[in-house]
Amino acid sequence: ETRADCNGFYIPFSNAILMTGTHSPRAHMRRKGIPEDKIEQHIPRLNTISDVVWEQWKSVAHEPGKLRFYAIDTVVNEVSSPLLDYLFRREGSPQEMAWEDRLTFGLDTDEGKALFGAPNGIAVAWLLTNHHGALGRRDPRVSIFRGEGKRHMIWELIPEGKKSTFDDYVSKNGPIRQ
């Protein structure tokens, strides 16, 4: 038994996934102090969060290749969390942020690359890499914000040649209000 979990909401009509808690089999066993050589004996074949999420997404989405948003409700990872906190401090972000005060980074920035390479971003990277055939080429952007004492990330997986729907929404409707 790995005690891995992958909890979230799959919202096909919005082409969105909202993850509320994930722990891969390997991460859970490491936290328990199980030696690496013993971990490999217990890892199931389907063992990455990105693959589990993809299989669940395919089971509910009529057009899985249209996935546009991957959100992480509460970032608690011991590597990702300090990175988000650093970016919030550096930008002078308040403890409670409205959506329109979010920080957004593309992969053309050092911050975007760092977030993409942090554990929570790696799941998105693997999802895009392993399921490129269905998803096509994407230009991911990540928005981070905090509220209710929690850190949040939303990846917008922009199809090549398309504009951000966040930008489209704001240009048509004004700032997003909570």
Side-chain angles (χ1 to χ4, degrees), residues 3-69:
R3 298 217 182 259
D5 60 51
C6 185
N7 302 309
F9 298 93
Y10 299 84
I11 313 160
F13 62 86
S14 295
N15 296 315
I17 295 172
L18 170 62
M19 299 312 302
T20 57
T22 59
H23 298 94
S24 71
R26 183 171 278 107
H28 177 74
M29 287 188 253
R30 282 182 179 145
R31 273 195 311 281
K32 285 183 68 176
I34 297 173
E36 287 293 322
D37 61 326
K38 302 285 188 216
I39 289 176
E40 291 304 318
Q41 298 171 20
H42 301 285
I43 297 291
R45 197 168 66 82
L46 185 62
N47 64 57
T48 63
I49 294 301
S50 60
D51 287 342
V52 172
V53 166
W54 180 252
E55 291 302 316
Q56 290 177 336
W57 176 247
K58 281 192 335 185
S59 75
V60 298
H62 298 291
E63 297 180 85
K66 289 191 173 186
L67 177 63
R68 187 67 180 250
F69 303 100

Side-chain angles (χ1 to χ4, degrees), residues 88 93-99 101-103 144-146 178:
F88 291 137
S93 300
Q95 285 298 316
E96 296 293 318
M97 301 170 69
W99 170 250
D101 298 325
R102 70 193 180 278
L103 304 175
I144 61 173
F145 62 102
R146 57 185 171 190
Q178 291 188 9

